[in-house]
């Protein structure tokens, strides 16, 4: 049996204001919007890697530089 844990995310005019983690009756400012978030679902959504575009670009440049160096080494050896 899988149990899902739900947290309540509090937002004030769309900006994150906090998380209600404990169970029970809680008072929230009436201007806050409350949204239930399943922790179980969030943990299993790992299909995408969290690479930032800058990191991916730097990795690509390093891979291309390594390929150029390998090609030049092959030319000099030949």
């Amino acid at each position: 049996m899988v149990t899902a844990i739900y947290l309540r995310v509090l937002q004030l005019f769309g900006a994150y204001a906090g998380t209600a983690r404990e169970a029970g009756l809680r008072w929230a400012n009436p201007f806050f919007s409350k949204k239930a978030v399943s922790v179980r679902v969030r943990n299993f959504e790992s299909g995408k890697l969290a690479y930032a575009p800058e990191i991916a670009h730097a990795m690509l440049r390093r891979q291309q530089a390594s390929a150029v160096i390998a090609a030049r080494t092959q030319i000099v050896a030949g």
Side-chain angles (χ1 to χ4, degrees):
M1 177 182 212
V2 178
T3 58
I5 300 172
Y6 289 94
L7 303 176
R8 296 286 178 176
V9 175
L10 304 174
Q11 294 179 332
L12 180 62
F13 301 113
Y16 175 77
T19 304
R21 296 180 186 272
E22 298 84 20
L25 183 62
R26 299 283 182 247
W27 179 86
N29 188 328
F31 293 111
F32 286 170
S33 63
K34 296 170 270 306
K35 180 178 179 184
V37 177
S38 172
V39 177
R40 181 178 57 92
V41 172
R42 194 174 67 199
N43 286 341
F44 285 111
E45 290 181 4
S46 58
K48 294 182 180 179
L49 294 176
Y51 285 133
E54 298 85 14
I55 295 173
H57 183 67
M59 290 173 63
L60 179 62
R61 287 181 48 190
R62 182 175 180 182
Q63 183 182 14
Q64 290 172 342
S66 296
V68 169
I69 291 172
R72 288 180 181 173
T73 303
Q74 187 75 9
I75 291 171
V76 171

